[in-house]
Amino acid sequence: MLAIFSSLLSIAASFVFAIAVTRKLPLEYLGILNVYSASIIFGSLPVGIVSFMSPRLSAKYRSIQVPLLWISFIFGLLGVLISAIFIFLIRFRIPSEFFETLLILTVLSIITGSFSSAFTGGLTVFNRKRLVYTAFVTSSVKLASVFYIMRSGWSLQSVMVASFIINLSGMLYALSSSMNYVKAEGSFIKTAKEFISGSWVSLLGYASSNIKSIDSFVIASIGGIFDNSLWQVLGVAGSAYSFRGMLYSITYGELLEQKERLKRIYMDFLFVLFTVTAVTLFIIFFEPEIIAFLRPTDLYLIDLLYAPIVLWALTSIVNTISQYVSNVMQGVERVDFEKEIELKTYWKSLVFYAHIAELVSTVSYVALIVPAIFLLKAFSLSLYVIEGVLVANLIAILLALAVRIKTFPEIKSYIKVKDFSIDYIAPLVASSFVLFVFRKPLELAFPPTISAYVGFFRLVVLFIFVVLVYSGVSVALSRRMRKIMALVVKRTLSSLK
């Protein structure tokens, strides 16, 4: 129930914040904002280790030990160094009036992220309700930050500051929620040893995947600032999927706490896919309304971006499946709970294979970007740069999913092809047909508008329509989806009472 409301609020906050990011900023400023985001991603490489080790060590020792926080801070400083090198290497691309602000906020964002990863890692194990509330806080602050950006004259600096404040608010709430689990115990040397011993695994996965942000620089180098700006627009539309990480964490935390919950992962899987697919159907069938809302002054982008945004949305479904399987693999693995973590602890474990799959994805993605771009250029596609990157990404994700299923064949006994076809594929196909029939009449009823308020209202109405159609068809065709929906309604009414 909390996940549903958190997801809805996250989607709403992302679209409202998009007003500040994409409706008012010139396209060239969106390109600079893309560089700002990429610099944080690059600097977050060591923070990926914290994201991996924090929940596992918290579950192992049943507390958030103080040495864990110190190690998180040190890894954050290492991330700052990496990001600083990256920023100075591309300084020639950043206008001087934005450079100092970008550098300072990048440093603060990485340090904030390192602590946030430590605290949310503990909440993943000990208090998943508070973990969801953390998403409520960040989404609420994101909504409120729009007023700050408005009062600041819709400047690029205000957007960057607001982005930092949003992350800071989540970290502060996670900090306050984690205090009961923080214990002044444990050895700094032992914690550091376990961190370093386990770091190579997470570098294969979570941290190495951050290297994928190199796509922004490939796009800028081959296509130019215009393509980079369009990539940022796609990223803003794709931010509607930001909630799914919270859903992964709920299942992951439950498995870490009690492995026996493995028998219910299929129902969790259907719920996660339902929420992600509802967003995907909305994006695919009502792309004109979304682009008109994001860039009301550039309506020519509606036709131009349709193929890329559809490919992006479909890839998001595949990535959701792959990441869900990865979280299950790591949630059921207990090899690091049995003894002190050493360099060889994770070797050939499910954790190892889950992360090696991410490494395969990262390497193949980076290797395929340029060939895919020039392959599509041969077909004279107008946005061959962006579409080439998206094709490379889809292939890389499919390779990662194949590796995970190959190394964790047990997942096929929980997520069966026959059940998946009945519970997911059939409702998806039927819903797509219904939405296709109603798409044109609804587009005529909701023509593009330059009003942000009217545009947002229309998006909300259209999204509700998509959810009602998809949920109605799913309930009609799938017994398990009926069970899930009935359970959600029952628990919601019970909580209200």
Side-chain angles (χ1 to χ4, degrees):
M1 182 189 69
L2 288 173
I4 289 175
F5 290 124
S6 174
S7 300
L8 292 175
L9 182 61
S10 176
I11 293 170
S14 296
F15 275 114
V16 172
F17 192 76
I19 300 173
V21 175
T22 56
R23 285 178 65 91
K24 295 292 185 178
L25 294 183
L27 278 175
E28 59 268 24
Y29 281 9
L30 290 180
I32 298 172
L33 189 62
N34 187 264
V35 172
Y36 170 63
S37 301
S39 65
I40 295 176
I41 294 174
F42 259 104
S44 297
L45 283 170
V47 178
I49 301 173
V50 180
S51 298
F52 169 68
M53 294 301 299
S54 177
R56 303 198 72 86
L57 289 179
S58 297
K60 180 178 181 178
Y61 295 111
R62 311 307 304 171
S63 67
I64 304 174
Q65 297 182 336
V66 170
L68 174 68
L69 301 179
W70 280 111
I71 297 297
S72 300
F73 176 66
I74 293 172
F75 274 70
L77 292 179
L78 180 60
V80 167
L81 178 61
I82 294 173
S83 185
I85 294 174
F86 164 76
I87 290 175
F88 278 98
L89 285 176
I90 61 168
R91 183 172 185 174
F92 69 98
R93 289 285 190 182
I94 307 172
S96 57
E97 65 266 29
F98 301 120
F99 180 78
E100 185 175 338
T101 301
L102 187 149
L103 179 62
I104 293 174
L105 291 178
T106 298
V107 170
L108 293 176
S109 296
I110 294 171
I111 295 296
T112 299
S114 66
F115 280 118
S116 182
S117 296
F119 293 126
T120 56
L123 292 178
T124 298
V125 178
F126 304 125
N127 197 328
R128 285 174 292 279
K129 181 181 292 187
R130 289 283 184 148
L131 179 67
V132 176
Y133 285 154
T134 303
F136 272 107
V137 170
T138 55
S139 297
S140 300
V141 173
K142 181 179 286 188
L143 288 171
S145 66
V146 173
F147 294 98
Y148 159 71
I149 297 173
M150 186 187 306
R151 294 294 298 272
S152 301
W154 305 96
S155 66
L156 175 60
Q157 290 94 333
S158 65
V159 175
M160 291 192 290
V161 170
S163 299
F164 165 68
I165 296 298
I166 292 167
N167 295 327
L168 178 64
S169 65
M171 188 276 287
L172 292 177
Y173 180 80
L175 166 64
S176 63
S177 301
S178 303
M179 292 308 298
N180 291 335
Y181 311 108
V182 176
K183 306 295 181 183
E185 56 186 27
S187 166
F188 178 86
I189 295 177
K190 181 181 179 182
T191 302
K193 180 182 176 181
E194 291 193 302
F195 246 82
I196 295 172
S197 296
S199 64
W200 68 274
V201 181
S202 55
L203 284 173
L204 293 177
Y206 293 134
S208 72
S209 66
N210 288 8
I211 298 174
K212 289 183 177 181
S213 61
I214 196 174
D215 53 21
S216 296
F217 306 100
V218 175
I219 292 171
S221 300
I222 299 178
I225 196 66
F226 177 73
D227 284 304
N228 218 41
S229 300
L230 296 184
W231 187 248
Q232 177 66 20
V233 173
L234 288 176
V236 172
S239 65
Y241 293 102
S242 59
F243 67 89
R244 62 185 173 183
M246 184 63 62
L247 302 182
Y248 300 147
S249 297
I250 292 174
T251 299
Y252 179 50
E254 288 182 343
L255 290 173
L256 281 179
E257 187 179 44
Q258 189 177 346
K259 183 180 178 180
E260 287 71 23
R261 297 188 179 186
L262 183 63
K263 60 186 177 182
R264 51 177 271 193
I265 66 166
Y266 181 60
M267 300 295 277
D268 285 3
F269 176 66
L270 286 180
F271 177 75
V272 172
L273 265 189
F274 173 83
T275 57
V276 171
T277 305
V279 175
T280 299
L281 290 173
F282 171 59
I283 290 176
I284 289 177
F285 284 98
F286 297 103
E287 178 266 354
E289 285 71 22
I290 294 173
I291 297 300
F293 174 73
L294 296 177
R295 296 299 303 177
T297 58
D298 301 305
L299 296 182
Y300 68 93
L301 294 178
I302 291 176
D303 293 331
L304 192 64
L305 286 178
Y306 184 73
I309 205 168
V310 168
L311 186 56
W312 182 300
L314 293 175
T315 301
S316 296
I317 293 181
V318 180
N319 192 39
T320 298
I321 298 173
S322 182
Q323 292 301 324
Y324 186 85
V325 174
S326 176
N327 276 268
V328 171
M329 293 172 70
Q330 297 175 73
V332 301
E333 183 60 84
R334 290 291 190 278
V335 67
D336 51 346
F337 285 24
E338 300 168 359
K339 58 183 179 180
E340 184 176 331
I341 299 174
E342 300 175 347
L343 285 173
K344 61 181 180 180
T345 297
Y346 292 113
W347 178 248
K348 292 187 177 181
S349 68
L350 289 179
V351 173
F352 169 78
Y353 289 122
H355 286 270
I356 202 71
E358 198 65 34
L359 178 62
V360 169
S361 177
T362 299
V363 172
S364 57
Y365 179 55
V366 173
L368 289 171
I369 287 179
V370 175
I373 288 175
F374 286 102
L375 177 63
L376 293 187
K377 182 180 181 181
F379 291 94
S380 301
L381 298 178
S382 57
L383 292 182
Y384 65 88
V385 175
I386 289 178
E387 291 172 356
V389 174
L390 290 172
V391 169
N393 188 38
L394 177 59
I395 295 173
I397 292 172
L398 287 171
L399 288 173
L401 178 59
V403 171
R404 285 167 178 147
I405 294 176
K406 177 69 174 178
T407 55
F408 185 47
E410 293 86 352
I411 193 68
K412 290 184 285 188
S413 64
Y414 295 100
I415 304 176
K416 300 176 181 179
V417 175
K418 181 180 179 181
D419 294 338
F420 183 70
S421 299
I422 296 173
D423 300 321
Y424 180 72
I425 300 298
L428 174 61
V429 173
S431 299
S432 298
F433 176 77
V434 174
L435 292 172
F436 177 78
V437 171
F438 282 94
R439 175 187 178 185
K440 185 58 66 174
L442 286 172
E443 283 185 349
L444 294 175
F446 294 97
T449 175
I450 61 174
S451 171
Y453 302 105
V454 175
F456 181 69
F457 173 75
R458 290 177 177 178
L459 290 177
V460 171
V461 172
L462 291 172
F463 180 69
I464 292 174
F465 174 75
V466 171
V467 172
L468 290 176
V469 169
Y470 183 42
S471 58
V473 173
S474 297
V475 168
L477 299 181
S478 169
R479 174 179 57 84
R480 292 182 180 86
M481 286 305 300
R482 286 196 294 272
K483 183 178 179 179
I484 290 174
M485 294 300 179
L487 187 61
V488 169
V489 172
K490 179 181 177 181
R491 292 194 175 183
T492 301
L493 295 177
S494 176
S495 297
L496 293 176
K497 290 179 180 179

PDB file of all heavy atoms in Angstrom, residues 305-331:
ATOM      1  N   LEU A 305      10.944  12.611 -31.376  1.00  0.00           N
ATOM      2  CA  LEU A 305      11.346  11.805 -30.226  1.00  0.00           C
ATOM      3  C   LEU A 305      10.478  10.573 -29.993  1.00  0.00           C
ATOM      4  O   LEU A 305      10.717   9.841 -29.032  1.00  0.00           O
ATOM      5  CB  LEU A 305      11.323  12.673 -28.955  1.00  0.00           C
ATOM      6  CG  LEU A 305      12.456  13.681 -28.793  1.00  0.00           C
ATOM      7  CD1 LEU A 305      12.256  14.496 -27.515  1.00  0.00           C
ATOM      8  CD2 LEU A 305      13.812  12.987 -28.747  1.00  0.00           C
ATOM      9  N   TYR A 306       9.488  10.341 -30.861  1.00  0.00           N
ATOM     10  CA  TYR A 306       8.572   9.226 -30.585  1.00  0.00           C
ATOM     11  C   TYR A 306       9.301   7.875 -30.559  1.00  0.00           C
ATOM     12  O   TYR A 306       9.150   7.102 -29.610  1.00  0.00           O
ATOM     13  CB  TYR A 306       7.439   9.184 -31.607  1.00  0.00           C
ATOM     14  CG  TYR A 306       6.436   8.098 -31.277  1.00  0.00           C
ATOM     15  CD1 TYR A 306       5.565   8.245 -30.204  1.00  0.00           C
ATOM     16  CD2 TYR A 306       6.387   6.917 -32.011  1.00  0.00           C
ATOM     17  CE1 TYR A 306       4.658   7.249 -29.871  1.00  0.00           C
ATOM     18  CE2 TYR A 306       5.482   5.913 -31.682  1.00  0.00           C
ATOM     19  CZ  TYR A 306       4.623   6.087 -30.610  1.00  0.00           C
ATOM     20  OH  TYR A 306       3.746   5.091 -30.278  1.00  0.00           O
ATOM     21  N   ALA A 307      10.066   7.582 -31.587  1.00  0.00           N
ATOM     22  CA  ALA A 307      10.773   6.293 -31.638  1.00  0.00           C
ATOM     23  C   ALA A 307      11.758   6.139 -30.469  1.00  0.00           C
ATOM     24  O   ALA A 307      11.770   5.091 -29.809  1.00  0.00           O
ATOM     25  CB  ALA A 307      11.487   6.139 -32.980  1.00  0.00           C
ATOM     26  N   PRO A 308      12.589   7.160 -30.160  1.00  0.00           N
ATOM     27  CA  PRO A 308      13.497   7.015 -29.015  1.00  0.00           C
ATOM     28  C   PRO A 308      12.773   6.811 -27.684  1.00  0.00           C
ATOM     29  O   PRO A 308      13.202   5.987 -26.869  1.00  0.00           O
ATOM     30  CB  PRO A 308      14.274   8.343 -29.015  1.00  0.00           C
ATOM     31  CG  PRO A 308      14.227   8.811 -30.420  1.00  0.00           C
ATOM     32  CD  PRO A 308      12.885   8.395 -30.925  1.00  0.00           C
ATOM     33  N   ILE A 309      11.678   7.538 -27.471  1.00  0.00           N
ATOM     34  CA  ILE A 309      11.018   7.435 -26.165  1.00  0.00           C
ATOM     35  C   ILE A 309      10.292   6.095 -26.025  1.00  0.00           C
ATOM     36  O   ILE A 309      10.226   5.526 -24.930  1.00  0.00           O
ATOM     37  CB  ILE A 309      10.053   8.619 -25.948  1.00  0.00           C
ATOM     38  CG1 ILE A 309       9.865   8.856 -24.444  1.00  0.00           C
ATOM     39  CG2 ILE A 309       8.707   8.373 -26.595  1.00  0.00           C
ATOM     40  CD1 ILE A 309       9.165  10.156 -24.116  1.00  0.00           C
ATOM     41  N   VAL A 310       9.780   5.544 -27.121  1.00  0.00           N
ATOM     42  CA  VAL A 310       9.164   4.219 -27.073  1.00  0.00           C
ATOM     43  C   VAL A 310      10.227   3.165 -26.788  1.00  0.00           C
ATOM     44  O   VAL A 310      10.021   2.259 -25.973  1.00  0.00           O
ATOM     45  CB  VAL A 310       8.427   3.911 -28.398  1.00  0.00           C
ATOM     46  CG1 VAL A 310       8.044   2.438 -28.464  1.00  0.00           C
ATOM     47  CG2 VAL A 310       7.185   4.777 -28.524  1.00  0.00           C
ATOM     48  N   LEU A 311      11.367   3.282 -27.455  1.00  0.00           N
ATOM     49  CA  LEU A 311      12.464   2.332 -27.219  1.00  0.00           C
ATOM     50  C   LEU A 311      12.957   2.425 -25.785  1.00  0.00           C
ATOM     51  O   LEU A 311      13.257   1.405 -25.135  1.00  0.00           O
ATOM     52  CB  LEU A 311      13.605   2.619 -28.202  1.00  0.00           C
ATOM     53  CG  LEU A 311      14.781   1.634 -28.210  1.00  0.00           C
ATOM     54  CD1 LEU A 311      14.295   0.217 -28.466  1.00  0.00           C
ATOM     55  CD2 LEU A 311      15.810   2.052 -29.257  1.00  0.00           C
ATOM     56  N   TRP A 312      13.042   3.644 -25.258  1.00  0.00           N
ATOM     57  CA  TRP A 312      13.451   3.864 -23.870  1.00  0.00           C
ATOM     58  C   TRP A 312      12.468   3.182 -22.916  1.00  0.00           C
ATOM     59  O   TRP A 312      12.869   2.500 -21.966  1.00  0.00           O
ATOM     60  CB  TRP A 312      13.500   5.364 -23.595  1.00  0.00           C
ATOM     61  CG  TRP A 312      13.955   5.754 -22.216  1.00  0.00           C
ATOM     62  CD1 TRP A 312      13.377   5.417 -21.020  1.00  0.00           C
ATOM     63  CD2 TRP A 312      15.097   6.540 -21.880  1.00  0.00           C
ATOM     64  NE1 TRP A 312      14.059   5.958 -19.968  1.00  0.00           N
ATOM     65  CE2 TRP A 312      15.121   6.651 -20.457  1.00  0.00           C
ATOM     66  CE3 TRP A 312      16.073   7.189 -22.613  1.00  0.00           C
ATOM     67  CZ2 TRP A 312      16.114   7.383 -19.789  1.00  0.00           C
ATOM     68  CZ3 TRP A 312      17.056   7.901 -21.947  1.00  0.00           C
ATOM     69  CH2 TRP A 312      17.076   7.997 -20.548  1.00  0.00           C
ATOM     70  N   ALA A 313      11.174   3.364 -23.173  1.00  0.00           N
ATOM     71  CA  ALA A 313      10.154   2.810 -22.284  1.00  0.00           C
ATOM     72  C   ALA A 313      10.164   1.284 -22.302  1.00  0.00           C
ATOM     73  O   ALA A 313      10.069   0.632 -21.248  1.00  0.00           O
ATOM     74  CB  ALA A 313       8.784   3.336 -22.695  1.00  0.00           C
ATOM     75  N   LEU A 314      10.265   0.686 -23.479  1.00  0.00           N
ATOM     76  CA  LEU A 314      10.300  -0.767 -23.573  1.00  0.00           C
ATOM     77  C   LEU A 314      11.549  -1.347 -22.914  1.00  0.00           C
ATOM     78  O   LEU A 314      11.497  -2.397 -22.261  1.00  0.00           O
ATOM     79  CB  LEU A 314      10.232  -1.194 -25.046  1.00  0.00           C
ATOM     80  CG  LEU A 314       8.912  -0.895 -25.766  1.00  0.00           C
ATOM     81  CD1 LEU A 314       9.014  -1.260 -27.241  1.00  0.00           C
ATOM     82  CD2 LEU A 314       7.756  -1.642 -25.112  1.00  0.00           C
ATOM     83  N   THR A 315      12.663  -0.656 -23.083  1.00  0.00           N
ATOM     84  CA  THR A 315      13.900  -1.094 -22.433  1.00  0.00           C
ATOM     85  C   THR A 315      13.758  -1.064 -20.915  1.00  0.00           C
ATOM     86  O   THR A 315      14.333  -1.906 -20.214  1.00  0.00           O
ATOM     87  CB  THR A 315      15.076  -0.196 -22.872  1.00  0.00           C
ATOM     88  OG1 THR A 315      15.226  -0.272 -24.290  1.00  0.00           O
ATOM     89  CG2 THR A 315      16.378  -0.641 -22.223  1.00  0.00           C
ATOM     90  N   SER A 316      12.982  -0.123 -20.406  1.00  0.00           N
ATOM     91  CA  SER A 316      12.787  -0.010 -18.966  1.00  0.00           C
ATOM     92  C   SER A 316      12.102  -1.246 -18.391  1.00  0.00           C
ATOM     93  O   SER A 316      12.391  -1.658 -17.265  1.00  0.00           O
ATOM     94  CB  SER A 316      11.961   1.245 -18.643  1.00  0.00           C
ATOM     95  OG  SER A 316      12.661   2.418 -19.006  1.00  0.00           O
ATOM     96  N   ILE A 317      11.200  -1.853 -19.154  1.00  0.00           N
ATOM     97  CA  ILE A 317      10.544  -3.077 -18.692  1.00  0.00           C
ATOM     98  C   ILE A 317      11.556  -4.212 -18.598  1.00  0.00           C
ATOM     99  O   ILE A 317      11.613  -4.946 -17.603  1.00  0.00           O
ATOM    100  CB  ILE A 317       9.390  -3.459 -19.627  1.00  0.00           C
ATOM    101  CG1 ILE A 317       8.268  -2.425 -19.530  1.00  0.00           C
ATOM    102  CG2 ILE A 317       8.854  -4.853 -19.292  1.00  0.00           C
ATOM    103  CD1 ILE A 317       7.076  -2.728 -20.413  1.00  0.00           C
ATOM    104  N   VAL A 318      12.367  -4.373 -19.651  1.00  0.00           N
ATOM    105  CA  VAL A 318      13.383  -5.423 -19.645  1.00  0.00           C
ATOM    106  C   VAL A 318      14.368  -5.210 -18.502  1.00  0.00           C
ATOM    107  O   VAL A 318      14.758  -6.153 -17.803  1.00  0.00           O
ATOM    108  CB  VAL A 318      14.129  -5.464 -20.998  1.00  0.00           C
ATOM    109  CG1 VAL A 318      15.187  -6.566 -20.995  1.00  0.00           C
ATOM    110  CG2 VAL A 318      13.152  -5.672 -22.144  1.00  0.00           C
ATOM    111  N   ASN A 319      14.765  -3.958 -18.285  1.00  0.00           N
ATOM    112  CA  ASN A 319      15.703  -3.658 -17.210  1.00  0.00           C
ATOM    113  C   ASN A 319      15.088  -3.933 -15.840  1.00  0.00           C
ATOM    114  O   ASN A 319      15.778  -4.373 -14.918  1.00  0.00           O
ATOM    115  CB  ASN A 319      16.142  -2.191 -17.298  1.00  0.00           C
ATOM    116  CG  ASN A 319      17.314  -1.895 -16.392  1.00  0.00           C
ATOM    117  OD1 ASN A 319      18.232  -2.693 -16.253  1.00  0.00           O
ATOM    118  ND2 ASN A 319      17.291  -0.738 -15.757  1.00  0.00           N
ATOM    119  N   THR A 320      13.789  -3.688 -15.709  1.00  0.00           N
ATOM    120  CA  THR A 320      13.101  -3.978 -14.455  1.00  0.00           C
ATOM    121  C   THR A 320      13.172  -5.469 -14.134  1.00  0.00           C
ATOM    122  O   THR A 320      13.462  -5.869 -12.994  1.00  0.00           O
ATOM    123  CB  THR A 320      11.632  -3.529 -14.531  1.00  0.00           C
ATOM    124  OG1 THR A 320      11.577  -2.119 -14.722  1.00  0.00           O
ATOM    125  CG2 THR A 320      10.884  -3.893 -13.251  1.00  0.00           C
ATOM    126  N   ILE A 321      12.935  -6.304 -15.134  1.00  0.00           N
ATOM    127  CA  ILE A 321      13.005  -7.752 -14.933  1.00  0.00           C
ATOM    128  C   ILE A 321      14.416  -8.172 -14.537  1.00  0.00           C
ATOM    129  O   ILE A 321      14.618  -8.944 -13.594  1.00  0.00           O
ATOM    130  CB  ILE A 321      12.568  -8.487 -16.211  1.00  0.00           C
ATOM    131  CG1 ILE A 321      11.112  -8.155 -16.538  1.00  0.00           C
ATOM    132  CG2 ILE A 321      12.755  -9.994 -16.069  1.00  0.00           C
ATOM    133  CD1 ILE A 321      10.646  -8.708 -17.872  1.00  0.00           C
ATOM    134  N   SER A 322      15.408  -7.641 -15.240  1.00  0.00           N
ATOM    135  CA  SER A 322      16.802  -8.004 -14.963  1.00  0.00           C
ATOM    136  C   SER A 322      17.227  -7.586 -13.554  1.00  0.00           C
ATOM    137  O   SER A 322      17.843  -8.363 -12.822  1.00  0.00           O
ATOM    138  CB  SER A 322      17.715  -7.349 -16.005  1.00  0.00           C
ATOM    139  OG  SER A 322      19.067  -7.707 -15.795  1.00  0.00           O
ATOM    140  N   GLN A 323      16.882  -6.355 -13.165  1.00  0.00           N
ATOM    141  CA  GLN A 323      17.274  -5.867 -11.845  1.00  0.00           C
ATOM    142  C   GLN A 323      16.525  -6.587 -10.729  1.00  0.00           C
ATOM    143  O   GLN A 323      17.068  -6.808  -9.642  1.00  0.00           O
ATOM    144  CB  GLN A 323      17.033  -4.360 -11.754  1.00  0.00           C
ATOM    145  CG  GLN A 323      17.935  -3.517 -12.624  1.00  0.00           C
ATOM    146  CD  GLN A 323      19.410  -3.715 -12.306  1.00  0.00           C
ATOM    147  OE1 GLN A 323      19.802  -3.894 -11.156  1.00  0.00           O
ATOM    148  NE2 GLN A 323      20.240  -3.700 -13.341  1.00  0.00           N
ATOM    149  N   TYR A 324      15.287  -6.976 -10.991  1.00  0.00           N
ATOM    150  CA  TYR A 324      14.535  -7.715  -9.982  1.00  0.00           C
ATOM    151  C   TYR A 324      15.187  -9.078  -9.730  1.00  0.00           C
ATOM    152  O   TYR A 324      15.372  -9.483  -8.583  1.00  0.00           O
ATOM    153  CB  TYR A 324      13.085  -7.898 -10.421  1.00  0.00           C
ATOM    154  CG  TYR A 324      12.224  -8.530  -9.354  1.00  0.00           C
ATOM    155  CD1 TYR A 324      11.626  -7.760  -8.359  1.00  0.00           C
ATOM    156  CD2 TYR A 324      12.028  -9.908  -9.310  1.00  0.00           C
ATOM    157  CE1 TYR A 324      10.853  -8.334  -7.367  1.00  0.00           C
ATOM    158  CE2 TYR A 324      11.258 -10.500  -8.329  1.00  0.00           C
ATOM    159  CZ  TYR A 324      10.670  -9.701  -7.346  1.00  0.00           C
ATOM    160  OH  TYR A 324       9.923 -10.290  -6.357  1.00  0.00           O
ATOM    161  N   VAL A 325      15.542  -9.771 -10.796  1.00  0.00           N
ATOM    162  CA  VAL A 325      16.225 -11.062 -10.650  1.00  0.00           C
ATOM    163  C   VAL A 325      17.541 -10.885  -9.902  1.00  0.00           C
ATOM    164  O   VAL A 325      17.901 -11.698  -9.041  1.00  0.00           O
ATOM    165  CB  VAL A 325      16.459 -11.707 -12.030  1.00  0.00           C
ATOM    166  CG1 VAL A 325      17.306 -12.974 -11.899  1.00  0.00           C
ATOM    167  CG2 VAL A 325      15.137 -12.028 -12.706  1.00  0.00           C
ATOM    168  N   SER A 326      18.256  -9.806 -10.198  1.00  0.00           N
ATOM    169  CA  SER A 326      19.519  -9.526  -9.513  1.00  0.00           C
ATOM    170  C   SER A 326      19.318  -9.361  -8.017  1.00  0.00           C
ATOM    171  O   SER A 326      20.084  -9.891  -7.206  1.00  0.00           O
ATOM    172  CB  SER A 326      20.159  -8.254 -10.099  1.00  0.00           C
ATOM    173  OG  SER A 326      21.338  -7.905  -9.402  1.00  0.00           O
ATOM    174  N   ASN A 327      18.270  -8.626  -7.623  1.00  0.00           N
ATOM    175  CA  ASN A 327      18.002  -8.414  -6.204  1.00  0.00           C
ATOM    176  C   ASN A 327      17.605  -9.707  -5.505  1.00  0.00           C
ATOM    177  O   ASN A 327      17.967  -9.939  -4.350  1.00  0.00           O
ATOM    178  CB  ASN A 327      16.912  -7.356  -6.025  1.00  0.00           C
ATOM    179  CG  ASN A 327      17.454  -5.947  -6.070  1.00  0.00           C
ATOM    180  OD1 ASN A 327      17.801  -5.362  -5.056  1.00  0.00           O
ATOM    181  ND2 ASN A 327      17.570  -5.394  -7.268  1.00  0.00           N
ATOM    182  N   VAL A 328      16.872 -10.561  -6.187  1.00  0.00           N
ATOM    183  CA  VAL A 328      16.505 -11.856  -5.602  1.00  0.00           C
ATOM    184  C   VAL A 328      17.756 -12.709  -5.394  1.00  0.00           C
ATOM    185  O   VAL A 328      17.929 -13.334  -4.335  1.00  0.00           O
ATOM    186  CB  VAL A 328      15.491 -12.592  -6.509  1.00  0.00           C
ATOM    187  CG1 VAL A 328      15.278 -14.025  -6.018  1.00  0.00           C
ATOM    188  CG2 VAL A 328      14.167 -11.849  -6.526  1.00  0.00           C
ATOM    189  N   MET A 329      18.634 -12.733  -6.381  1.00  0.00           N
ATOM    190  CA  MET A 329      19.870 -13.511  -6.271  1.00  0.00           C
ATOM    191  C   MET A 329      20.675 -13.082  -5.053  1.00  0.00           C
ATOM    192  O   MET A 329      21.172 -13.918  -4.276  1.00  0.00           O
ATOM    193  CB  MET A 329      20.712 -13.339  -7.535  1.00  0.00           C
ATOM    194  CG  MET A 329      20.101 -13.949  -8.781  1.00  0.00           C
ATOM    195  SD  MET A 329      21.015 -13.531 -10.286  1.00  0.00           S
ATOM    196  CE  MET A 329      22.531 -14.468 -10.049  1.00  0.00           C
ATOM    197  N   GLN A 330      20.793 -11.781  -4.855  1.00  0.00           N
ATOM    198  CA  GLN A 330      21.592 -11.277  -3.738  1.00  0.00           C
ATOM    199  C   GLN A 330      20.866 -11.416  -2.401  1.00  0.00           C
ATOM    200  O   GLN A 330      21.493 -11.580  -1.357  1.00  0.00           O
ATOM    201  CB  GLN A 330      21.942  -9.811  -3.988  1.00  0.00           C
ATOM    202  CG  GLN A 330      22.811  -9.601  -5.217  1.00  0.00           C
ATOM    203  CD  GLN A 330      23.040  -8.145  -5.520  1.00  0.00           C
ATOM    204  OE1 GLN A 330      23.800  -7.482  -4.812  1.00  0.00           O
ATOM    205  NE2 GLN A 330      22.400  -7.635  -6.560  1.00  0.00           N
ATOM    206  N   GLY A 331      19.539 -11.376  -2.460  1.00  0.00           N
ATOM    207  CA  GLY A 331      18.769 -11.482  -1.225  1.00  0.00           C
ATOM    208  C   GLY A 331      18.791 -12.857  -0.610  1.00  0.00           C
ATOM    209  O   GLY A 331      18.732 -13.004   0.614  1.00  0.00           O
TER     210      GLY A 331
END
